[in-house]
Amino acid sequence: MGKACDYCNLSQEKEKRTAGASPTCIRCSRLKTGSTALHTKRMRYRTSAKHFPHEDLRVSTVVSRQRAKFKKSESHASSSSSSSGSSCSSPPKDDESWTPDSTDIRIISPEKLLAAPANFETISDALRTVGDSEQFSVTHAPFVFGHSFLPGFQKTIYAVLQLSAPILIEGYLAYLGLMTNYQNSPVIRRSPPDMSRAAKGLQRLRSVEITNDYDAACTLFLGQKMYVFDVLTATYSSTAHTIVRSSLISTKAWLPRMVQIPMMDIITMAPILIDTVECLIHREIPIIRLDPQRRVIVDRCLGLCATLLPHLYDICECSNTLKRETPAVGSESHSAIHDRLDEIEQAIRRWRPRTPTGLFDTYGQYPVLAMVTQANVYRLAALLILHRLRYPLGVEDGPAWTLANGIFSELSFFAKLAVNVKESSALPVVFPLTLAMFEIHGPGEALVERLTSFTVQSVCISRLREFVKLARGSRESGYGGIWFDLVDTHLRVAVPP
């Protein structure tokens, strides 16, 4: 019996392939349901495997290749749940709704709870927390794709904290206290946000003097922690982006060397991504253009998207030009900017993530699935932004809806499979999901409910829903401009990655 195609692997249909190079089997060729084709010719974002330089990273292919591992884990989950009296956590069928697994309730002994740290006051408290794997996990796991990223994260932060703690300590202690409210198990006592300590952290960020790489790393990390604090505590976090940009500006001279150091990816990549995403939304130019590196980057927040960032930067440059100038249709400058948009679009349509060997062995199946999903939806989001830079709302809506539905499809596929969300702690897709929700009402709202187990991302997208409703209301009232103008006048919250 020959191999089945992706569609048949997922539906457990085993058919022989047709003779020749067709990627679909006999059944799919007959029914025209091959998983590698879309319904339009232009939107070919699910391309054949030959376009991937290392391996096919479509979500459906990732799942089919890992099917045996999924079955093994499902079998284990079934036996565990039957012995404990809880419900089985096997993936739902296509017609079933998906909800996060809420049956894993940890029972903490009174002795462990009494031994939990009461508060965070000193550098020693911070070093003790970073040095303890369990405490580090509960305060940092919401910002990594999976627990496989935590050991490297822990090692880097411990080294940076030891060498440059005076820069970081106030803001980091405020962050640690805040994140006790987002832990799944009380290994650390919950405490209210320390606004005074956070203010001191921001003051330190404004006045920092950088003399070495570790000072720069500490400043970048402090910027991220203050960004998170602002996003999670401020009802309207309109200053969050300014915090990250401030840290990037302060460290700009040091970054070209820092991005060459793999252990610094944990610190350098997240603020570059945050700044790029916010600039895409606000039509500004990011502080840093992350040029392609010789090595393959797999990051806790950026995932597999490092080689996509230069294209996103190029979109920001064109978008900013259009924001500052309105060239007359048919003019030389108008033709030049739209030619440039076409070039960027073609580059993004060809883009596929670079992947290292042993990806699954290193990071695990669910984190890889989350990273592949992120890469796919960011690519679609970039194409959607390019489309809306050319066409206002109400004009050429069909291609925009196709891209939005593609984003919903990728995220829905992931949500149905990621039942065991403990394996994948973060899902940085707030930005693509928000863009898709601008275009179509319904699927995005359902996904927000499905992804509530990704705590921090869920908080952020919930706050963005108000702006999405406003944008839709303007559209229904006859607004025919570009939605970027609505951002300028009405968006009052951060748009995290």
Side-chain angles (χ1 to χ4, degrees), residues 349-399:
R349 288 190 181 280
R350 292 191 301 267
W351 178 82
R352 294 296 182 275
R354 296 175 61 195
T355 59
T357 57
L359 187 65
F360 282 101
D361 293 337
T362 303
Y363 298 102
Q365 57 191 13
Y366 283 103
V368 171
L369 179 60
M371 289 188 285
V372 171
T373 300
Q374 183 201 38
N376 288 340
V377 298
Y378 263 75
R379 180 169 173 268
L380 294 170
L383 294 172
L384 183 52
I385 280 192
L386 285 167
H387 184 78
R388 283 308 182 193
L389 285 173
R390 296 188 184 98
Y391 303 106
L393 298 173
V395 179
E396 292 291 330
D397 285 343

Side-chain angles (χ1 to χ4, degrees), residues 281-283 323 467 470-471 474 479 482-493:
I281 291 289
H282 293 280
R283 293 184 291 176
K323 180 180 180 180
F467 173 69
L470 185 148
S474 299
Y479 176 77
I482 58 175
W483 58 254
F484 297 97
D485 290 335
L486 296 175
V487 167
D488 295 338
T489 56
H490 293 94
L491 184 62
R492 296 289 179 268
V493 296

Side-chain angles (χ1 to χ4, degrees), residues 450-469:
R450 289 184 175 191
L451 300 176
T452 52
S453 290
F454 300 96
T455 313
V456 175
Q457 286 80 22
S458 178
V459 169
C460 295
I461 193 66
S462 295
R463 292 183 177 178
L464 282 163
R465 291 174 76 171
E466 180 181 347
F467 173 69
V468 170
K469 290 179 181 178

Side-chain angles (χ1 to χ4, degrees), residues 252 276 280 284-290 308-319 344:
K252 187 174 182 178
T276 302
L280 284 167
E284 298 174 357
I285 299 178
I287 301 298
I288 301 295
R289 187 183 195 275
L290 182 66
L308 181 64
L309 277 186
H311 301 309
L312 300 184
Y313 183 98
D314 294 342
I315 293 175
C316 290
E317 282 192 324
C318 291
S319 182
I344 298 170

Side-chain angles (χ1 to χ4, degrees), residues 3 7 39 58 90 105 159 184 187 208 225 240 290 307 318 325 357 360 366 385 387 403 411 420 439 443 446:
K3 288 184 178 179
Y7 179 89
H39 297 295
R58 284 168 295 162
S90 60
I105 302 174
N184 293 323
V187 298
V208 65
K225 301 302 108 177
L290 182 66
T307 52
C318 291
E325 308 169 7
T357 57
F360 282 101
Y366 283 103
I385 280 192
H387 184 78
L403 291 166
L411 292 176
N420 189 357
E439 300 291 343

Side-chain angles (χ1 to χ4, degrees), residues 52-115:
F52 286 93
H54 296 276
E55 60 177 324
D56 191 345
L57 280 182
R58 284 168 295 162
V59 175
S60 55
T61 305
V62 168
V63 175
S64 1
R65 289 180 180 177
Q66 295 297 305
R67 192 169 187 81
K69 292 183 180 180
F70 277 139
K71 286 183 176 180
K72 182 178 179 180
S73 63
E74 289 163 17
S75 174
H76 176 72
S78 298
S79 60
S80 300
S81 61
S82 61
S83 63
S84 63
S86 60
S87 60
C88 176
S89 59
S90 60
K93 298 178 181 179
D94 291 341
D95 57 349
E96 292 178 352
S97 60
W98 180 91
T99 55
D101 183 6
S102 59
T103 60
D104 181 26
I105 302 174
R106 298 187 183 185
I107 300 175
I108 304 300
S109 66
E111 293 79 11
K112 187 170 186 178
L113 184 56
L114 288 172

